[in-house]
Amino acid sequence: MRVGFAGTPAFAAAALEAILDAGLQVAVVLSQPDRPRDRGWRTKPGPVKSLAAARGIPVLQPASLKAETERARIIAIPLDVLVVAAYGLILPESILEWPACGCINIHASLLPRWRGAAPIQRALLAGDRETGISLMRMDQGLDTGPIIARHAVPIAARETSGSLHDKLAAVGARAIVGALSVLQRDGRLPAEAQPEEGATYAAKLAPAETVIDWGASADAIDRSVRAFDPAPGAQTTLAGAALKIWEASPLPGRFGAPGVVARAEAAGIVVACGEGALNVTGLQRAGGKRMPAAAFLAGHDLATGTRLGPTKG
């Protein structure tokens, strides 16, 4: 069975590594072009390309799949199935029809919940208690294809996008190896149409969403802090300078006007919210390092009554 793989980031690399370790033949890898990454902002390959290159697998990196000449070069490669995981480019009809057995997407939600680009962050922002991995036979819709398998993953109370990402990547890697083994054995993978009831859209994160609204409830702000960790970080301002909140927990009770520091101690910086307060224990000034509240207070005078950022209500 000739397998193709399309993906770019670490989530996808976990699946590709599992497929290769299972002894399956990967004929070609599609990945997005190399881009500036990390602090040095130097052009580097993504995790999928790096892994494929290390394993001696041919890699194609089209910037777009809109040109017929680009698509023709790809579909000339014989393929039985294409596995797609966080690739980042929309697959046109000719690519979807390229493999004999179609394209299988590894999606980080329990479809039809959270179709779209940011299912992990949206699940955390919404306060979902469960998410998971769906293996889906791709069609021309946005994550609307029939479901091959679902694997539920509980969301822990203090889950971040980073920790949930790693859990889902591991589950997705195991799930796709199992599905490909069935396909190799039986020549087919049964799939069930998605219900439209319960469908939600996981829109790409907008920069404005990362700005903390201190007029919101402490629980909602806590969810946003965890949803935006490790990137891009929940943001506010202190004396006009950018400040990222990385670790915090909600507190019940009344603490004064939203956005005002009610208490600043080594154990945490307590900031009043529209409902309750947020006990901030990890933060970062612009250009500085991520640090615990005690270290931050040792270098910054933060008095009770100081206001952080704007509020929206």
Side-chain angles (χ1 to χ4, degrees):
M1 183 169 69
R2 290 174 60 84
V3 179
F5 190 90
T8 303
F11 178 88
L16 176 58
E17 185 172 32
I19 291 168
L20 294 171
D21 288 349
L24 293 161
Q25 180 188 0
V26 177
V28 65
V29 163
L30 306 181
S31 195
Q32 288 209 40
D34 299 353
R35 288 189 168 88
R37 303 175 193 276
D38 305 327
R39 280 183 174 270
W41 215 235
R42 289 175 294 185
T43 300
K44 294 174 61 178
V48 164
K49 181 188 175 182
S50 295
L51 174 61
R55 298 289 190 100
I57 302 166
V59 179
L60 300 178
Q61 295 181 275
S64 169
L65 293 172
K66 293 180 181 179
E68 185 178 348
T69 52
E70 192 68 71
R71 298 196 302 271
R73 181 168 72 106
I74 294 169
I75 64 178
I77 301 167
L79 213 61
D80 292 304
V81 63
L82 178 69
V83 175
V84 182
Y87 177 35
L89 293 181
I90 295 174
L91 302 188
E93 186 176 3
S94 59
I95 298 294
L96 293 174
E97 294 177 350
W98 164 33
C101 298
C103 302
I104 303 173
N105 180 240
I106 307 171
H107 186 76
S109 82
L110 295 176
L111 292 169
R113 180 79 168 157
W114 301 127
R115 296 170 175 169
I120 295 175
Q121 293 90 341
R122 295 298 172 191
L124 289 171
L125 287 169
D128 291 359
R129 295 186 177 183
E130 182 182 68
T131 185
I133 287 291
S134 297
L135 298 184
M136 175 193 68
R137 182 174 296 134
M138 297 179 71
D139 61 16
Q140 290 188 283
L142 179 64
D143 298 328
T144 56
I147 300 298
I148 296 164
R150 289 186 183 89
H151 301 267
V153 174
I155 297 176
R158 305 306 304 160
E159 199 86 73
T160 67
S161 279
S163 63
L164 187 55
H165 167 281
D166 292 349
K167 289 180 183 178
L168 292 171
V171 172
R174 292 194 297 270
I176 192 61
V177 169
L180 292 176
S181 297
V182 172
L183 180 61
Q184 189 170 37
R185 183 191 69 209
D186 299 344
R188 59 187 294 272
L189 280 173
E192 181 180 289
Q194 287 188 45
E196 281 303 315
E197 184 179 356
T200 53
Y201 177 54
K204 184 179 179 180
L205 298 176
E209 292 182 87
T210 69
V211 178
I212 295 172
D213 172 16
W214 294 106
S217 71
D219 285 338
I221 298 172
D222 169 56
R223 292 197 299 270
S224 70
V225 169
R226 292 184 287 109
F228 302 143
D229 180 4
Q235 304 187 56
T236 187
T237 55
L238 172 61
L243 183 72
K244 288 190 177 184
I245 307 298
W246 290 114
E247 296 175 37
S249 57
L251 299 173
R254 299 178 64 85
F255 293 84
V260 172
V261 175
R263 193 165 65 243
E265 302 170 346
I269 300 165
V270 177
V271 185
C273 304
E275 181 181 318
L278 198 71
N279 185 40
V280 178
T281 52
L283 60 170
Q284 179 183 12
R285 286 291 294 265
K289 295 181 179 180
R290 182 169 171 167
M291 62 181 66
F296 182 86
L297 292 173
H300 302 84
D301 185 19
L302 187 60
T304 299
T306 300
R307 180 176 290 278
L308 301 183
T311 58
K312 301 175 186 175

